[in-house]
Amino acid sequence: MSLTILAIESSCDDTSAAIVRDGQVLSNKTANQEIHQIYGGVVPEAASRAHQINILPVVEMAIRAADIDKTEIDAVAFTRGPGLIGSLIVGVSFAKGFALSRNLPLIEVNHMMAHVLAHFAEDPKPQFPFLCLTVSGGHTQILVVKDYLDMEVIGQTIDDAAGEAFDKTGKMLGLDYPAGPIIDKLAKEGTPRFTFPEPKIPGLDFSFSGLKTSILYFLKKQVTENPQFVEENLADICASVQARIVSILMNKLRLAAEETGIKEVALAGGVSANSGLRQALVEEGQRKGWNTYIPKFEYCTDNAAMIGITGYYKFLQGKFVGQDVSPVARWELSSPVL
Ligand code: KG4
Ligand code: ZN
């Protein structure tokens, strides 16, 4: 008997729906919200309203692209958290309504767990246990993934996330939001000739707020001396900032691999689309004899396919929730996971 899951993701500014059958992604449709570009960051109220407009058409598109009938859906998986509460409410309410109307079981999914399990949407799949560096606009963490639903955070940011470091730097440079992909593109044409300090944080935790401050003071000083400094050196600034963010991430990942002895190493989250980080992982993997894994771009950024994959493994373990479930803005991944 086959198992077909409708998955819903609405934790931040992307409205996404997917159909996953027996752990295989049949469709994955996402509506991005351009409104936040005007403000240079996600505006929670605007995100919530856009989710309300997008959710129905996105679900319809996912069902149509999967070439299935609604009646073939056996369960509904949804992101319960962590995320923006107003955004989550839209996805959770939709999932509950859909499940109630068809008497289907509901599966709650932790968004950060789903980023990790995005690796199981396609081959090659990492072997357990593996290390996963999850880097997004809201999170930066290293996990030991022992099994599908058993993962432990062994390091995380104590302030900003890596994606935030890209986006906030972009704001200082006058770039559009989200700036990560723009900095990535510009960095390819530049040379990392400006040096920003590496934060001195012990263990496997990260910090990016000091880097942000040092970039700000650096730019202020340079612009005072030459008002055209940013325009004249944009590619080199981007290359330098990217090089430092990548080195911060890779140094901690290297340490995690040394401390755990694990040689299966994976990247997840929106920032894993970064070409500098991808290249650094592959090169380090070749030096250290790691097997490295990076999902395709569609599964790196926020998407419902990863929610459906996670929902599939939770379904197999009978982990369902009732109609009384409500979204949670904060939801720490612990071991064993909820
Ligand atoms: O995982 P994601 O789609 O959403 C969150 O859960 O946050 O990640 C979005 C983040 C943004 O900060 C964006 O700037 C960053 O991923 N990002 C990138 C690249 N593509 C997306 N950062 C650096 N280089 C990229 N190519
Ligand atoms: Zn995410």
Side-chain angles (χ1 to χ4, degrees):
M1 198 198 90
S2 81
L3 167 60
T4 305
I5 294 177
L6 165 66
I8 309 285
E9 155 64 31
S10 72
S11 64
C12 191
D13 59 341
D14 294 318
T15 321
S16 188
I19 300 290
V20 172
R21 176 169 285 169
D22 299 330
Q24 303 291 319
V25 181
L26 297 190
S27 67
N28 182 39
K29 294 287 168 189
T30 303
N32 307 112
Q33 303 179 359
E34 284 173 9
I35 179 150
H36 308 290
Q37 280 181 8
I38 308 165
Y39 303 103
V42 176
V43 180
E45 176 61 25
S48 177
R49 285 171 190 271
H51 283 305
Q52 290 172 41
I53 294 165
N54 293 337
I55 188 123
L56 201 56
V58 164
V59 169
E60 291 286 353
M61 269 159 54
I63 292 172
R64 210 171 309 148
D67 200 17
I68 64 158
D69 190 81
K70 283 188 184 73
T71 54
E72 295 175 58
I73 295 168
D74 300 305
V76 183
F78 63 94
T79 305
R80 185 179 175 197
L84 299 171
I85 201 73
S87 291
L88 290 163
I89 284 171
V90 179
V92 174
S93 306
F94 183 90
K96 284 164 70 169
F98 192 97
L100 186 67
S101 68
R102 292 170 191 274
N103 202 20
L104 299 174
L106 275 170
I107 307 163
E108 63 174 19
V109 171
N110 180 304
H111 180 85
M112 299 312 293
M113 174 182 269
H115 267 305
V116 174
L117 295 184
H119 285 97
F120 295 91
E122 282 187 320
D123 288 328
K125 299 176 173 67
Q127 303 287 310
F128 299 115
F130 65 92
L131 282 177
C132 188
L133 171 65
T134 308
V135 267
S136 72
H139 298 270
T140 298
Q141 50 186 219
I142 302 179
L143 302 104
V144 175
V145 186
K146 299 165 198 167
D147 207 335
Y148 296 109
L149 305 182
D150 186 3
M151 44 189 85
E152 184 186 355
V153 178
I154 57 170
Q156 58 189 325
T157 183
I158 57 169
D159 41 56
D160 291 351
E164 257 179 303
F166 276 107
D167 297 338
K168 287 179 178 172
T169 301
K171 205 167 183 177
M172 291 184 233
L173 296 173
L175 304 176
D176 281 348
Y177 174 86
I182 305 168
I183 292 178
D184 189 1
K185 198 163 166 240
L186 288 165
K188 288 189 185 124
E189 295 147 26
T191 311
R193 61 192 177 87
F194 305 115
T195 309
F196 299 106
E198 172 115 24
K200 304 236 174 319
I201 306 294
L204 296 173
D205 286 339
F206 300 89
S207 167
F208 289 98
S209 70
L211 174 65
K212 182 180 62 188
T213 311
S214 70
I215 295 167
L216 181 67
Y217 285 127
F218 168 80
L219 291 176
K220 269 190 177 163
K221 183 168 175 286
Q222 298 294 334
V223 169
T224 311
E225 288 164 17
N226 169 16
Q228 305 306 316
F229 178 78
V230 171
E231 290 76 13
E232 288 170 4
N233 298 280
L234 189 57
D236 289 352
I237 300 167
C238 289
S240 307
V241 170
Q242 178 166 304
R244 176 51 79 213
I245 294 173
V246 169
S247 86
I248 293 171
L249 294 170
M250 288 306 300
N251 286 344
K252 296 292 180 163
L253 192 55
R254 194 179 301 113
L255 186 61
E258 279 164 18
E259 286 186 1
T260 60
I262 296 173
K263 287 184 179 289
E264 295 278 298
V265 185
L267 280 186
V271 180
S272 57
N274 184 265
S275 57
L277 182 59
R278 293 169 92 99
Q279 192 187 340
L281 181 78
V282 170
E283 286 172 6
E284 189 68 16
Q286 284 164 353
R287 274 194 294 273
K288 302 273 182 185
W290 298 346
N291 292 322
T292 57
Y293 304 88
I294 310 171
K296 76 171 176 194
F297 183 68
E298 185 184 351
Y299 300 139
C300 283
T301 53
D302 286 351
N303 67 90
M306 67 184 191
I307 306 302
I309 296 285
T310 310
Y312 171 69
Y313 291 108
K314 294 191 88 167
F315 189 106
L316 295 183
Q317 296 193 15
K319 291 184 184 294
F320 303 110
V321 289
Q323 280 284 337
D324 56 347
V325 66
S326 51
V328 282
R330 298 177 68 87
W331 183 359
E332 293 296 324
L333 265 180
S334 53
S335 181
V337 177
L338 281 175

